[in-house]
Amino acid sequence: MNPIVTVQDAVTAFADFMEPTNAELAAIEEESPLILAEVDLLDAQIITLDRTPTELDARRIRRARNRVLVARRDLANHAAGATLPGGAA
């Protein structure tokens, strides 16, 4: 009979390598305003799936879409303004 501990050691042997790196966490943090804006847009669109959209629904979707565009613009501007190491600027 094999003890469960050996299976646990095999499963968790690479647990340290499965964690996100600091660079990946920083990238997620930088993109979080865009992610949240896209979730808001998706929520606004889901609300209208089972009913006829009202003027308020259309306005909510339009505002959410504008927030997504602003978040994308800000992310693109931030990424374009970042300096790369070793670059000749």
Side-chain angles (χ1 to χ4, degrees):
M1 175 178 219
N2 291 334
I4 296 175
V5 176
T6 58
V7 175
Q8 181 181 1
D9 290 341
V11 170
T12 60
F14 299 105
D16 293 338
F17 301 110
M18 297 167 88
E19 296 294 323
T21 64
N22 288 338
E24 291 170 336
L25 290 174
I28 292 170
E29 184 69 28
E30 185 176 338
E31 293 177 3
S32 65
L34 175 59
I35 294 168
L36 293 174
E38 289 176 339
V39 168
D40 288 342
L41 175 60
L42 187 60
D43 286 342
Q45 291 171 336
I46 287 172
I47 288 172
T48 62
L49 286 179
D50 62 344
R51 64 179 181 186
T52 305
T54 64
E55 180 60 33
L56 181 62
D57 293 330
R59 197 177 320 156
R60 183 180 294 127
I61 291 172
R62 187 172 53 248
R63 288 180 180 168
R65 191 174 291 134
N66 287 338
R67 283 192 297 271
V68 168
L69 292 175
V70 167
R72 284 182 184 168
R73 181 199 63 203
D74 292 345
L75 185 62
N77 287 342
H78 187 303
T83 59
L84 297 176

